[in-house]
Amino acid sequence: SVYPNPSNGNDINIIYNLEKFVSSSTLSIYDLSGKKIHSENLNNTQGFYQQIISNQNLSAGMYIVAIEFNGKAVQQKLVIR
């Protein structure tokens, strides 16, 4: 889950759950043209996690937040006001 969404200049909280160990997991933020704006490696062991991202570098608009693991991706839209 991603919150607050929409965001008004606050940090963005991303909560995710890994049900089992994965070889790698990555958090990426894309603009609507598909350009990668932000990327970082995530914890890859089983459990619930919270990742906090500063949105200081994100202009107002819509973005896609993707968590990629084991060749799969979970995506959610993010709106910055």
Side-chain angles (χ1 to χ4, degrees):
S1 101
V2 176
Y3 71 92
N5 193 9
S7 177
N8 293 319
N10 302 320
D11 288 342
I12 302 160
N13 296 279
I14 299 168
I15 307 286
Y16 65 100
N17 175 30
L18 292 177
E19 296 178 354
K20 61 182 179 178
F21 173 83
V22 295
S23 58
S24 67
S25 56
T26 306
L27 167 70
S28 300
I29 299 176
Y30 299 91
D31 66 15
L32 290 184
S33 71
K35 179 181 176 187
K36 189 180 291 186
I37 304 297
H38 175 86
S39 182
E40 62 185 80
N41 292 326
L42 299 175
N43 197 325
N44 60 352
T45 56
Q46 181 178 359
F48 282 94
Y49 298 96
Q50 177 178 9
Q51 196 75 15
I52 299 173
I53 305 294
S54 171
N55 73 1
Q56 294 176 357
N57 297 327
L58 298 177
S59 302
M62 189 175 299
Y63 297 87
I64 301 296
V65 176
I67 295 179
E68 299 154 342
F69 56 95
N70 290 350
K72 299 177 185 175
V74 177
Q75 300 178 345
Q76 185 171 343
K77 290 181 184 176
L78 169 66
V79 176
I80 304 293
R81 291 188 178 166

